[in-house]
Each structure stands twice: as C-alpha cells, then as structure tokens.
Amino acid sequence: MNDETYMRQALDLAASAEGQTAPNPLVGAVVVKDGAVVGVGAHLAHGEAHAEVHALNMAGDKAAGATIYVTLEPCSHHGKTPPCADKVIEAGISRCVVAVQDPFSQVAGNGIQKLRDAGIEVTVGCLEGEARERNRAFFHYVRTGLPYITVKSAASLDGKTSTHTGESQWITSEAARTDGHRLRHTHQAIAAGIDTVIHDDPSLTTRLPAGGNSPIRVIVDTMLRTPLEAKMLHDDQAPVWIIAGPEAPQDKAASLQEAGARIFRLNESPASNLRKVMELLGEEKITSVLVEGGATLIGSFVTEQLVNEWVSYIAPMVIGGREATPQSKGKGMPALADVPAMEIQETTMLGPDVKITARKREE
Ligand SMILES: Nc1c(/N=C/[C@@H](O)[C@H](O)[C@H](O)COP(=O)(O)O)[nH]c(=O)[nH]c1=O
Ligand SMILES: [Zn+2]
C-alpha cells in the first residue's frame, strides 16, 4: 500500500457525498497507523463536521503518530467549525498527505504552514489532478465567483431536440433520462428558459430510485411570463427563483412571489446578460448550475462563452426538419477561432443512447 492507495480511498469517500456539500467542496480523509486504516471520514453537508474531524474522531488515540490523507488542505480559519489544522495537531498526527492546496484565500497554504510549524511532515500533490477534477465546480467558483455551468442536452443524431411540430418526449431512453437526474442531483441550481417552462411545464426535480437533492430552479424570464399554475410553483420540492428584466410587470412579480417564487429583477434583460445572472447566483453562493434547456437559453450561454461542461445524450434517431429545434439557438460564434476549446472526458452507452461529456479547459 502506498500514499496513492490511501488517497484514492479518501477521494472515493469525498465523492460519496456528491451533491450534498455545496457550496462547500467535497473532502475525504483517511487516517493510517502502522499500515492499518484507523479512521475514515467525508464532509457530508455544509455546516457539518469536516472530513478530517470525522476521521480523527474515529481514530481516537490511534491518531497519535499516524498519517492522515486529505483530499484538500486542512482548513486553518474558523468557518462554521473550528480549524481542522488545530485538530490534526492536537490528535498527535505525525505526517499529513494533502492532494491539493485549498484555493480559498483564507486557507491557501495557511493550513499546511500551521502543520509544518507544529513539526508535522506535510507532502502536497498526491493525486492532485484527480482531486482538482472532483472539485472542479468548487475550484471554478472560488477562482471566478461564478457558478460552474454544465449544459445538458438530449438530442437526435442530427442534433434535434424536438420535431418541427414541437414533439420531444421522449427522444432519449429511460436510462439516459435517469442519468440526467444524477446531473440534477450534483448541481445546486438548474436553469431553464421561459419557453421551456411554458412548453413543457417541467418540474426539474431530481427523481432517482435512491432519491436525491432537487436543485434550486432558476428561470430566466425577462417579462415574467411564468404561468401562476406552473407545476414547479406548487410541488414544494425546491425553491423557484425567477430572473426578470426591468420592464417585467410589478403586479405579476407580486403574484409570483405570492405563489412562493423569489424574484430577482435585473436592470437589463437577463436573457442577454447571463454573466450578470451568474454573478448574482454566485453572490447567493450557488457554485454549480445545470442548464437544462431550452435551445434559446443554451444558445445564450454558448454565445456568452459561459459553458464549462457540456453533456449530450444522443439517441439513435434522425428527426430532420429545417424548423425542428436544434440543440442551441441564438447568435453563436462568428468564427471557429472564437470557439472555446473543450476536451471530451467521457463517452458512455446508456441503453440505446450515447452520453458524451466534454469540458472547457480551465484557464
Ligand atoms: N425531451 C427530452 C428531454 N427534455 C428535457 C426538457 O426539455 C424537459 O422539459 C424536462 O426534462 C422535463 O423535466 P421534468 O418535468 O422534471 O421531467 N430530456 C431528456 O433527457 N431526454 C429527452 O428526450
Ligand atoms: Zn476543515
């Protein structure tokens, strides 16, 4: 067994809480004494104990002289819980292996320094690439203040998301749609355009066999055309935030608030200023957004170059039709040189469909 073995265990522990910890990162910890794992832990929810605390509590006095593997630098500032660096020192840990330094300014390097000042041997960078990839949304949010944006698109081989008569359910299989719900579970918010809300009356909730978190529903609706009888306003499954423009009628805003929605009014059209909408969500500590549709909204994210990840579910059918809805509308990129470079991360068969995941290279 070597450092990477234990760090992989810690990364898997971190991933077990995926979809639960935002706006906090996913963190896992493993305590090893004389080649035996004596404590494990994961950060399970925002505001609750950090991974190191769980692992050190489980290790008890076996932590003395042990090594702790942590997927993110132990915190050194008093957040909602006391600093883990202090806890690691108190527990008598002799060596600490960290996958990646915390990007958060309050922590960056301070935790590691505190441990070294206390005489603990610290190594940084074990499986760093994997640790960054697992926490890509958190790292992106800390670096930019914007949520990490994933577009999910379900289409035919010729890129249509509905027939020219507007029929779209369903193009992809149950297996692909269930996978799409896992995407909902792992994102804090789900964005949809008003055309999709009017056309599909979607609930945008996470419906997985084992359950899951339903993201905050964010509707880009410049003129507040969201129907008062929209399903999502009456299912009590997750908040509904509606982003309006300056001309949106005040009385409709009042009735939507009555119906339980939270209204954000921008002083410019949200549909053509999505960066402003994302800055607003960032201020609300939203670290990840899944853009579910439709083609108009997706096209705006593409045109503003805000897409960090693109997940396509492609069904084995060809729909055709000049008027059939494409995967994205809007202005788009004038030249290939303007098109942001992405990398395919994964292609998977889901029943009869193929899922393709691509990510933009982080600057
Ligand atoms: N048409 C399709 C999809 N369509 C996605 C959106 O257009 C739908 O409005 C949304 O999934 C409805 O959300 P719900 O009410 O929570 O079920 N998405 C898919 O994966 N496959 C499809 O074939
Ligand atoms: Zn901590």
Side-chain angles (χ1 to χ4, degrees):
M1 309 282 256
N2 60 19
D3 282 354
E4 292 204 353
T5 314
Y6 297 119
M7 188 58 80
R8 204 168 297 288
Q9 280 176 21
L11 283 165
D12 290 345
L13 279 159
S16 63
E18 200 174 21
Q20 299 178 196
T21 64
N24 283 356
L26 295 167
V27 187
V30 171
V31 180
V32 180
K33 178 79 176 284
D34 306 329
V37 173
V38 292
V40 295
H43 180 46
L44 299 176
H46 174 54
E48 291 182 7
H50 287 185
E52 303 92 317
V53 174
H54 287 303
L56 289 169
N57 287 347
M58 190 188 289
D61 51 19
K62 293 199 185 100
T67 297
I68 186 168
Y69 294 84
V70 203
T71 59
L72 187 68
E73 172 183 7
C75 62
S76 61
H77 67 290
H78 279 265
K80 287 205 181 283
T81 54
C84 293
D86 297 351
K87 182 112 180 144
V88 168
I89 294 164
E90 271 155 44
I93 287 284
S94 63
R95 181 168 174 253
C96 176
V97 181
V98 174
V100 59
Q101 189 167 311
D102 192 305
F104 212 51
S105 57
Q106 283 171 299
V107 189
N110 301 339
I112 291 168
Q113 197 49 55
K114 207 170 199 180
L115 295 174
R116 285 182 171 144
D117 292 349
I120 294 174
E121 183 200 340
V122 181
T123 51
V124 184
C126 180
L127 298 184
E128 175 164 353
E130 261 183 75
R132 279 185 185 284
E133 196 263 344
R134 300 277 181 110
N135 265 319
R136 59 189 182 278
F138 175 72
F139 276 79
H140 174 79
Y141 174 72
V142 170
R143 196 167 50 75
T144 65
L146 298 176
Y148 184 86
I149 295 159
T150 303
V151 166
K152 174 231 145 188
S153 173
S156 59
L157 286 168
D158 56 334
K160 309 295 185 187
T161 59
S162 78
T163 65
H164 68 85
T165 61
E167 206 187 333
S168 67
Q169 296 179 359
W170 293 95
I171 294 173
T172 60
S173 64
E174 185 67 36
R177 296 203 311 273
T178 302
D179 193 78
H181 279 251
R182 275 205 54 72
L183 277 179
R184 293 180 177 182
H185 170 69
T186 57
H187 285 75
Q188 251 181 297
I190 184 165
I194 182 58
D195 300 345
T196 293
V197 173
I198 291 171
H199 185 270
D200 296 351
D201 191 17
S203 55
L204 301 178
T205 52
T206 299
R207 301 185 300 276
L208 288 167
N213 295 339
S214 285
I216 295 168
R217 281 123 355 150
V218 176
I219 309 304
V220 177
D221 180 7
T222 304
M223 292 307 288
L224 288 180
R225 288 184 293 138
T226 299
L228 288 174
E229 61 285 352
K231 227 180 348 185
M232 67 174 74
L233 289 173
H234 305 284
D235 63 11
D236 274 344
Q237 295 295 304
V240 176
W241 294 0
I242 306 178
I243 320 292
E247 302 83 31
Q250 190 44 45
D251 53 346
K252 182 64 180 299
S255 350
L256 284 166
Q257 268 165 331
E258 272 288 291
R262 188 172 166 194
I263 309 292
F264 293 82
R265 189 186 282 272
L266 263 59
N267 50 22
E268 53 214 316
S269 153
S272 45
N273 291 280
L274 288 173
R275 179 170 288 275
K276 282 259 179 305
V277 176
M278 293 300 114
E279 282 164 5
L280 182 154
L281 294 183
E283 282 149 26
E284 295 290 328
K285 298 204 177 325
I286 302 295
T287 60
S288 59
V289 175
L290 177 67
V291 183
E292 171 102 9
T296 307
L297 184 66
I298 290 175
S300 303
F301 275 99
V302 170
T303 306
E304 292 195 46
Q305 300 194 26
L306 289 169
V307 179
N308 299 104
E309 185 160 328
W310 184 287
V311 180
S312 266
Y313 296 97
I314 304 289
M317 63 171 75
V318 179
I319 295 177
R322 189 185 53 246
E323 302 306 315
T325 315
Q327 288 179 279
S328 75
K329 290 180 176 173
K331 192 156 160 289
M333 300 295 127
L336 284 177
D338 303 321
V339 176
M342 296 182 91
E343 282 162 354
I344 303 268
Q345 302 295 324
E346 174 204 343
T347 55
T348 319
M349 288 306 293
L350 291 167
D353 307 324
V354 65
K355 172 186 179 183
I356 303 172
T357 303
R359 282 187 209 134
K360 189 158 81 173
R361 266 190 229 110
E362 282 288 316
E363 293 82 37

